[in-house]
Amino acid sequence: MNKTSIAWTERTWNPVTGCTKLSAGCAHCYAETMAKRLQGMGQKRYANGFQLTLHPEALSEPMKVKEPSMFFVCSMADLFHKDVPDDFIYRVIDIIKSTPWHTYQLLTKRTERMREFFNYGRYAVPDNVWIGTTVENAEQVRRIEWLNDIKTAPVRFLSCEPLLGDLGDIAEHLWNIDWVIVGGESGSKARPQ
């Protein structure tokens, strides 16, 4: 759990690291590059590189932060990846619910699973959680529909980062969206917008 230079949050919390590529926005994943770098530096949490890894020892980290903070959950993974067991996600949500002085940002490309989890699972979205999805091109606009289908959420947001192309006429999908992050792709292999 670290303070971060990410402009739209204050801290990162990574009870899960690693992922697999899902769509065009994943091609030059910053988290994969960073995980490989941290693995090379001998960082214990990244011993598996970017292979999906659960870190139960990290679950209690937000409880140690007493000042109210904004946490980006799983900045180095996707909490709703198919290989993260529901039970582990429930454990993450239990920590979130037990630390109501913090605000948590759950960002996923797997919005369909997030929708199923919160609409039909054990919990609705806690009051201190913002839910979001990444939409990098027009092919991924359906993720906004799934985000909007989640029954309750205090804040819904989009990350159009990396924005790889025109999103088309998405105005009809934005009726329930509170916040949008927009940015290009960075790094030596960045694609033009």
Side-chain angles (χ1 to χ4, degrees):
M1 173 188 60
N2 297 310
K3 288 192 173 187
T4 182
S5 61
I6 299 171
W8 46 266
T9 197
E10 295 172 340
R11 295 176 178 270
T12 58
W13 174 40
N14 287 291
V16 179
T17 56
C19 200
T20 55
K21 296 184 184 331
L22 183 67
S23 61
C26 300
H28 305 153
C29 178
Y30 80 90
E32 181 177 24
T33 302
M34 180 65 71
K36 289 178 180 175
R37 184 176 303 138
L38 293 169
Q39 181 184 35
M41 294 168 55
Q43 294 286 324
K44 182 179 174 185
R45 192 170 286 182
Y46 296 94
N48 296 330
F50 203 56
Q51 179 182 345
L52 192 123
T53 306
L54 305 181
H55 300 282
E57 73 283 358
L59 285 170
S60 65
E61 289 177 349
M63 300 176 96
K64 298 172 187 169
V65 179
K66 299 307 177 193
E67 70 274 3
S69 298
M70 177 78 74
F71 283 90
F72 176 14
V73 181
C74 293
S75 65
M76 297 293 289
D78 190 327
L79 183 62
F80 293 94
H81 189 284
K82 65 180 178 59
D83 293 334
V84 178
D86 282 354
D87 184 59
F88 195 81
I89 299 172
Y90 283 123
R91 292 175 69 189
V92 170
I93 300 301
D94 285 338
I95 294 296
I96 288 170
K97 289 175 63 128
S98 71
T99 54
W101 60 92
H102 296 315
T103 302
Y104 296 88
Q105 297 162 307
L106 300 179
L107 177 64
T108 185
K109 287 184 175 76
R110 293 157 173 93
T111 318
E112 190 170 21
R113 183 171 184 211
M114 179 192 271
R115 178 188 65 180
E116 297 302 309
F117 183 86
F118 285 123
N119 284 355
Y120 305 108
R122 194 180 306 163
Y123 299 134
V125 179
D127 291 339
N128 59 334
V129 169
W130 296 13
I131 57 171
T133 192
T134 302
V135 181
E136 67 266 26
N137 57 32
E139 293 173 27
Q140 305 310 327
V141 169
R142 70 183 180 280
R143 292 178 184 158
I144 305 171
E145 295 170 21
W146 295 329
L147 187 69
N148 283 328
D149 282 346
I150 297 173
K151 292 177 184 173
T152 60
V155 174
R156 296 167 206 265
F157 69 99
L158 303 180
S159 175
C160 301
E161 197 173 41
L163 184 59
L164 299 177
D166 189 330
L167 298 179
D169 184 12
I170 65 167
E172 67 184 87
H173 302 290
L174 300 179
W175 61 272
N176 207 15
I177 303 301
D178 300 290
W179 195 48
V180 179
I181 303 160
V182 179
E185 190 168 45
S186 59
S188 61
K189 297 179 182 179
R191 294 163 279 183
Q193 282 69 47

